Amino acid sequence: MTKSNTTPKASITAIGGYVPEDRLTNKDLELLVDTNDDWIQSRTGIRERRILKDPKKATSFLAIQASKNLIKKNNIDPSTIDMVIVATTTPDMQIAATAAYVASEIGSKNAFGYDLQAACSGFLYAMSMAAGKIESGRYKKVLVIGADKMSSIIDYKDRSTCILFGDGAGAVLFEPNNQGLGWQDEYFRSNGTQRETLCVKAGGSLFPASSTTILNEDHYLRQDGRNIYKSAVSAMTESSNIILERNNITGEEVDYLLAHQANERIIEAVSKKMKLNSNKVLKNIANYGNTTAATIPLLLYDFQNLFKKGDKIIFAAFGGGYTWGAAYYKWSKLIN
Ligand code: UT7
């Protein structure tokens, strides 16, 4: 037998999600900055976002809720989970991995956990990490969570960013699949020369927190939206098309595109260039805004009832760093 016949694929067997109850609507934002509902909806497609208002609750809270939702709905024994990856840009704190805390809080006492930081591409990269672990044969259950409390790094005086982001989390469980279904292929890239285009400048080792960084408000997310917009469209289109070509799939054969939800116009531009029918392009940005690492798992959570065994799914993401890429996934049955 060749290796390809014996190596299992990694497939998603369970999905969970969580968004906080509090809504921040475009009308609410009109009271905070010089903006309006029409501008926001026409330029971004966003109507409202969810905000985790409790200052004592952090990204781990979102991740734990999404994981508990997955565990409960699918009747999973959390102690059987081998590994927990939390993709996040807003970890609870420096050094102590949010994933380690989440694993303990959900009862995954036999797991190890670490965080993965690749901004809006984080969940895509984390799924790839999980797939590799499953394909290695050493791990049977890998929990991948995308969670971000973006409201903790947003300047609600800055209209160019505060209209875009929201809080949320999604979680998926990867397990081996011997029918060839699950994670098929990926194409990932990064370009660090553009890192200042989208970043939180201070708080790391380059500009450690100081009274000056606080006075300069350097702990908030800042971005050059126009540049990111152009780069996101071209990078996500290029990587998705490479994945299609490499796997001999036409746009017509794609069942669904699950792209990072940063701006509805970006998603539409990418799907047009991929020649996809609009009914194949899944969107929930209107309800949540950009939840960074959580957008793709929240799409999986919201639309899970649509997917049928064998469906061809393309994932695509672009984010700060820059980081970006696309992946090809063949849907398998969920536990329930
Ligand atoms: O996941 C990665 C994270 N970030 C992104 O993906 C961001 C990608 N970029 C975008 O989504 C868009 O560039 C934005 C939504 C951020 C901005 O939309 P745009 O169509 O690129 O607008 P713009 O920056 O070119 O600005 C157009 C005008 C400007 O006014 P002038 O100079 O034409 O008079 C802005 O000052 O719109 C103004 N503007 C606003 N007006 C009302 C910028 N933000 C706002 C606002 N409300 N919130």
Side-chain angles (χ1 to χ4, degrees), residues 12-14 74 76 173 175 333-336:
I12 295 169
T13 56
N74 298 283
I76 288 163
L173 186 69
E175 293 188 76
K333 224 171 142 312
L334 297 176
I335 292 170
N336 282 332

Side-chain angles (χ1 to χ4, degrees), residues 252-281:
E252 269 183 22
E253 287 167 333
V254 171
D255 291 294
Y256 296 106
L257 172 71
L258 277 71
H260 170 55
Q261 310 279 295
N263 183 319
E264 191 172 35
R265 290 188 297 139
I266 295 179
I267 304 163
E268 280 166 4
V270 171
S271 58
K272 225 178 239 167
K273 284 172 193 269
M274 288 173 68
K275 302 189 175 62
L276 299 185
N277 272 344
S278 57
N279 61 345
K280 298 181 170 183
V281 184

Side-chain angles (χ1 to χ4, degrees), residues 8-26:
K9 296 280 187 208
S11 82
I12 295 169
T13 56
I15 304 176
Y18 176 77
V19 288
E21 273 171 27
D22 280 307
R23 292 158 199 261
L24 181 67
T25 65
N26 293 348

Side-chain angles (χ1 to χ4, degrees), residues 34-35 39 43-44 120 159-160 163-165 198 223 225-226 228-229 260 262-263 265-266 290 318:
D34 180 14
T35 191
W39 192 96
R43 299 286 180 125
T44 71
C120 299
R159 70 176 182 174
S160 71
I163 57 147
L164 295 172
F165 294 93
L198 171 54
Q223 67 168 13
R226 235 179 265 192
I228 300 163
Y229 187 103
H260 170 55
N263 183 319
R265 290 188 297 139
I266 295 179
N290 182 350
F318 181 90

Side-chain angles (χ1 to χ4, degrees), residues 44-48 261-264 283-289:
T44 71
I46 302 169
R47 283 199 307 264
E48 60 180 30
Q261 310 279 295
N263 183 319
E264 191 172 35
K283 288 180 272 184
N284 56 10
I285 186 168
N287 304 330
Y288 310 136

